[in-house]
Amino acid sequence: MIQAVYQWLDQRLRLRPIEEMLLNEPIPGGTSWVYVFGSATLFLFLLQLLTGMFLAIYYAPTPDHAYDSVQFIMSSVTFGAFVRGLHHWGASAMVVAIGLHMLQVYLYGAYKPPREVMWMVGVALFLLTLAFAFSGYLLPWDQKAYWATQIGINMVGTVPGIGDALVRIIRGGDHLGALTLTRFFALHILFLPLMTLGLIALHLFILRRVGPAGLFEERRTVGKSGAVRAERRRRIASEPFYPRQVFMDAVVMGVVFLIVVGLAIGLPFPLADKANPSDTSFKPIPEWYFLFYYQGLKYVHGPLEPLATWILPAVFYAVLMFLPFIDRNPARHPVRRPTAILIGIFFLVGVFGLMAVSLKEIYSVPTTEPSVVRGQELYAKLQCNGCHRIHGSGGAVGPDLSYEGKGRDRNWLIRHFKDPQGVSPGSIMPAFSLTVSELDDLTNYMLSLR
Ligand code: HEC
């Protein structure tokens, strides 16, 4: 049946040559599990595109409604929390996949001639990925989003000369507000995806023109055994993309998808409080892939600060971009590129070292949001413990609240606080008269109990 349809289409559209062009690409040195990271990255990008489109159905990019619309996605939309989870963890997974892809290309020296342009397009794609991460982070408009973005924008402002202008362009005005949100939204869902699709097409086009790099070339044939080895290599000189590489890529995409699904179900990504521009005490913690940088910033102060906020990153990206022209060593085998490999190792040790220190610092101080602390004080002041027990202390008139944050959501708690009898008919819990912000604090405290 499928065969027949294919034949029918083939007679009209002449698909056969395209099929051959797509599947028969020779891979020098044969197929390998090492080559799967590019397609894993592509797969994750497509997943982001799909989940992002569904999130956009409900998301409202205004400071008044953004937070509530995400809340609504999380609590009321069928599969809403799941799709948001996929989008959130998909972004993290994409950073991992692209990182591994770049490492592999670096290790195999695959950025060297004639693939310089392909590498540069790849670096541009990496920058676009970071721009996706940065612009997407603001969209939920919670405290984390607001203050992390504020810090990012302030850093841009330290660039001499053009800093102020850049900040105005990014922020769309004098302060982080409605204009910033719509601009980040447009960037995130229109500009960046279209630019990325274009560059992916270019990346793949170049791949097809120059061919995959495959294994590093055989060592110069010195001596007899070298010649024999080279001969053996030449015999499995290349293998077509289909079927083995296609199969490997498909397996890895399946595994990557299952991992992201697992994370979306197992590690929900909660919202913090709604963004409060006047609460300057809020200390945001960036996404894990920016942690090493965030940690690095802690070590530089005063006149050295621009070094970390823009000089080092600018130098890093410039070197990365022009790497094929800076690294003039023609060899591709890692053994014959000791400097490049050492630099790579130093870089990785630095990044992961800083990340480890940062994680340790974050987890050694329990992070309690000020709102939760205020809620806890209110709980004591209003003597809720007369009727309720939390982790063993308090009365037993009302239900144990030790894990209240697991069972109830924000809306339910607020409705219940406003009118206990309305929500639980016959309840003897008094309706406390609370201000809006007290209600918010108490609810946040309840939600933190899990
Ligand atoms: C006079 C006793 C009494 C006091 C005081 C009291 N509660 Fe309650 N509370 C109850 C009872 C009884 C229930 C169960 C019926 C209901 O859901 O309203 C309850 C239910 C709740 C629930 C819902 C539990 C659930 O998930 O079903 C929460 C949350 C709660 N109380 C929080 C508080 C807080 C916070 C305070 C202090 C501001 C407080 N209560 C003060 C008696 C009390």
Side-chain angles (χ1 to χ4, degrees), residues 375 378-380 382-388 397-401 404 407-408 412-413 416-417 419-421 423-430 432 434 442-443 445-446:
L378 261 174
Y379 183 90
L382 299 172
Q383 297 181 334
C384 311
N385 63 349
C387 296
H388 291 286
V397 180
D400 187 328
L401 298 178
E404 185 66 9
R408 303 292 188 190
W412 188 92
L413 286 167
H416 179 267
F417 281 139
D419 178 14
Q421 284 73 29
V423 176
S424 308
S427 173
I428 54 157
M429 173 158 151
F432 296 89
L434 300 163
L442 206 52
T443 305
Y445 174 50
M446 292 291 116

